[in-house]
Amino acid sequence: MAAQFGRRLCKGAATTAVAAVAVAALSASQAPGVNDHGRQAAADATPSPDASASDGSATGNSPYYTDLPPLNSPSPSPSTGTGPITPGTSEAGIPATVLDAYKKAEAALRDAKPGCNLPWQLLAAIGRVESGQARGGRVNAEGTTISPILGPQLDGNGFALIKDTDNGAYDGNSTYDQAVGPMQFIPSTWAWAGRDANGDGKKDPNNIYDAALAAGHYLCRFDWDLSDQKDLDRAILSYNNSREYLNLVMRWLEYYRKGTHEVPDGTGTLPGNRSDNGAGASPGPSTPSTPGAPAAGGSKPKPSPPAKPGGGGTTKPKPPTTPPATPPDSPSTPPSPPATPTDTVHHLEDAGTAKLTAMAGDTFTKRISTRAETKAGKAVGKVRIRFTIVGDTDTTFTGGESVATVATNSSGVAVAPALQAGEKTGDVTVRATVVGRMVAGLDYTATVTERAADALVRTGDAALTCAPGGEFANQVEVKATYKGAVADGVAATATLIKSADDPTANDKGPFFKDADGKAVRTLTGLKTDAKGLLKLPKLYADDTTGTFLLRITTEGGATLTVELTVAAAETSSPSPSASPSA
């Protein structure tokens, strides 16, 4: 069962025929272009040109199950003993643990990336197409598959060529990569996309909870909004870059949206048709591999049973009419794996990356560009470059990931996703490496600076006056901007200074109060709110009269000086004395 997130790899005639039959049957059995939510159906939608721009395929475009949803809409599972199951109920049922994993992943993404709008039914649709819902829910109590689910080895023989990237840690194959687990991640994708959803301290692609959460984050990267059809297409195509795959997943998505229910683990419906016509499928749970068999995904013809002594049984094989090219006792030399573009990469070069600087919370306007080159300096296209943010930082790529894999274009250049600055300031290191080849990495430095403002203004113009020993009626409020835009989260300091030429704190005149009610004339640790506003605490006056200055400064150099007046209340003049009577 070898399905995967990435682009479709199997391009042979058998694959094309199966896919064509699947799409034709799909079109005949279900009306295209119609769904419960009024969105354009995938069959009529045109994927965006950049749908797979990252080339960060989760599955290496391995084959997948092509079984179509039933013609009849699903119905909820009937209560025990209430009658026969309605057509479609069996296919709509999802094994309990698998369904729980999908719903928990949706809830986690709702908190982590609310703008993604990931429906658990999308995970169910992909899980159905990739592994038949973990082979009908054959998982243990913790959600780990009872037997491994491996795709065919990606050796370039009818599939993509992806040489080993994990030393066989996940797939048991130290020569080529294979897709692993119920959501069919290839090891190089799992290395950065893997998640520990069940809190056991491990990121296990064979665990449905870990794999479902990883799939959700994978589908939600690049700030995709899956309630938008174009972004939904991009996400599905990034899982497996095939129009047939997109159509099929969309059909299952809409099918599950119409209704589903849980069934006991291990009783789910198993699919029977694959995009590679079954070639290279890993052994099923009831068909264990035999000693000496090729790695999962390979095929090995069964030998004919030996002839029984004295005749009967099978016919004795005739000797070959021509001698074999290699004598039987001469060991044959296994063919060398075909060379790939990755094999020709000698080094990485910077491809004109500009200085990378952004304020905390902002998106970097410049992006990292890396070129893969041969020893002679020739550009190498179709090579996967992995960009990894290293060190203690909360800066991420857009979408919240710390790793992104991008394929080089025909000029050998891979452009990383935009960086999103976190709140931690300082230098951030981004390392570019070649996936599948030991080549020295290339480090880039991105600098995160404090949030800044270049202008401050008062939000009101009421005079700030107070009688000696009294309280100012109006509080000071200011608004900070940077290049005309709201400057939120900017650090500020407010000080009652001695004079315009002497910014040291005054020792008399107006003052703030601390938590104990004591007079303070300098406030630090202030920050503007989401609207760029900063409202200072109440001001009080001692017995000193006169004009005083309050100076507010922010990170970035914005300064505002406000006048405060402390004056005794004016008293009315006494009436002139009456003239003495004559």
Side-chain angles (χ1 to χ4, degrees):
M1 99 115 269
Q4 307 183 3
F5 288 9
R7 299 181 180 174
R8 191 169 166 206
L9 302 178
C10 188
K11 299 295 184 183
T15 301
T16 304
V18 171
V21 170
V23 173
L26 215 65
S27 301
S29 65
Q30 298 178 352
V34 179
N35 58 48
D36 287 349
H37 303 274
R39 286 200 302 266
Q40 182 184 19
D44 305 313
T46 302
S48 301
D50 60 342
S52 58
S54 72
D55 200 46
S57 164
T59 65
N61 299 319
S62 296
Y64 50 88
Y65 286 113
T66 59
D67 294 53
L68 308 176
L71 177 62
N72 296 316
S73 298
S75 303
S77 178
S79 301
T80 303
T82 59
I85 296 177
T86 304
T89 298
S90 176
E91 291 81 357
I94 299 176
T97 299
V98 178
L99 180 59
D100 184 56
Y102 295 151
K103 291 185 175 181
K104 280 184 167 58
E106 179 196 56
L109 268 297
R110 191 184 304 123
D111 292 336
K113 298 179 180 178
C116 177
N117 295 304
L118 171 78
W120 65 261
Q121 291 92 341
L122 176 59
L123 297 176
I126 290 175
R128 170 74 189 199
V129 171
E130 293 296 339
S131 70
Q133 311 298 19
R135 289 202 192 109
R138 287 168 174 79
V139 296
N140 64 19
E142 288 72 39
T144 301
T145 57
I146 292 172
S147 59
I149 300 176
L150 295 173
Q153 66 177 15
L154 301 175
D155 57 5
N157 184 22
F159 308 109
L161 175 59
I162 303 179
K163 294 184 178 179
D164 176 62
T165 61
D166 66 330
N167 199 28
Y170 295 117
D171 54 16
N173 189 336
S174 58
T175 305
Y176 300 99
D177 271 351
Q178 296 174 244
V180 181
M183 302 304 280
Q184 289 287 278
F185 281 97
I186 53 173
S188 60
T189 302
W190 185 260
W192 62 266
R195 293 292 192 280
D196 175 19
N198 60 1
D200 64 357
K202 296 185 297 183
K203 300 176 181 179
D204 184 1
N206 298 295
N207 182 276
I208 186 58
Y209 288 99
D210 292 359
L213 183 60
H217 277 279
Y218 184 90
L219 294 165
C220 287
R221 69 202 193 285
F222 305 135
D223 278 343
W224 282 334
D225 177 0
L226 302 187
S227 66
D228 177 86
Q229 187 65 51
K230 289 184 179 179
D231 280 357
L232 180 60
D233 289 352
R234 291 185 181 100
I236 296 173
L237 286 169
S238 78
Y239 213 83
N240 193 313
N241 191 26
S242 157
R243 164 64 83 180
E244 292 84 359
Y245 183 88
L246 169 63
N247 291 346
L248 188 59
V249 169
M250 280 300 303
R251 295 295 183 181
W252 278 107
L253 169 60
E254 297 307 327
Y255 180 77
Y256 285 134
R257 275 177 166 156
K258 293 174 183 176
T260 189
H261 59 280
E262 71 176 44
V263 297
D265 289 345
T267 66
T269 302
L270 294 175
N273 301 299
R274 285 164 34 95
S275 62
D276 63 346
N277 225 10
S282 63
S286 59
T287 314
S289 56
T290 56
S299 59
K300 184 177 182 179
K302 294 182 179 179
S304 301
K308 293 183 179 180
T314 57
T315 304
K316 184 176 181 180
K318 295 180 180 180
T321 55
T322 56
T326 304
D329 56 349
S330 300
S332 58
T333 303
S336 300
T340 68
T342 301
D343 295 328
T344 67
V345 177
H346 178 267
H347 60 272
L348 296 176
E349 289 284 344
D350 175 48
T353 303
K355 185 177 180 180
L356 300 166
T357 303
M359 288 194 299
D362 286 354
T363 300
F364 284 75
T365 56
K366 306 298 182 182
R367 296 165 68 178
I368 294 171
S369 297
T370 300
R371 184 171 55 252
E373 296 183 354
T374 64
K375 187 174 182 179
K378 184 179 178 181
V380 184
K382 298 183 180 179
V383 172
R384 291 181 296 159
I385 305 298
R386 180 177 296 143
F387 297 95
T388 305
I389 300 172
V390 299
D392 182 19
T393 178
D394 56 354
T395 291
T396 64
F397 291 111
T398 302
E401 304 295 344
S402 59
V403 180
T405 303
V406 183
T408 58
N409 59 20
S410 59
S411 300
V413 175
V415 180
L419 286 165
Q420 176 69 43
E423 294 303 320
K424 292 182 179 179
T425 59
D427 289 341
V428 177
T429 299
V430 181
R431 182 165 299 149
T433 55
V434 179
V435 176
R437 184 164 175 79
M438 297 297 292
V439 173
L442 189 61
D443 284 355
Y444 295 84
T445 298
T447 303
V448 180
T449 62
E450 294 280 358
R451 293 172 182 257
D454 56 13
L456 280 174
V457 294
R458 278 190 67 194
T459 58
D461 56 5
L464 299 168
T465 60
C466 180
E471 174 183 311
F472 284 81
N474 298 306
Q475 290 176 249
V476 177
E477 183 181 67
V478 297
K479 182 174 183 178
T481 56
Y482 183 78
K483 295 182 178 179
V486 167
D488 61 313
V490 177
T493 300
T495 305
L496 291 150
I497 60 176
K498 290 184 177 179
S499 69
D501 298 324
D502 186 354
T504 57
N506 209 336
D507 54 2
K508 57 185 177 180
F511 59 89
F512 301 105
K513 288 184 179 180
D514 62 15
D516 298 324
K518 295 180 180 178
V520 292
R521 292 186 169 87
T522 298
L523 296 178
T524 58
L526 304 172
K527 278 194 174 182
T528 60
D529 65 13
K531 296 180 179 180
L533 300 176
L534 173 62
K535 192 171 187 177
L536 300 181
K538 286 185 177 182
L539 279 161
Y540 302 87
D542 61 14
D543 294 333
T544 309
T545 60
T547 299
F548 301 89
L549 299 179
L550 168 65
R551 180 162 292 172
I552 305 168
T553 60
T554 68
E555 185 72 31
T559 301
L560 177 66
T561 302
V562 180
E563 284 192 356
L564 307 173
T565 302
V566 180
E570 293 185 6
T571 57
S572 56
S573 301
S575 301
S577 302
S579 302
S581 56

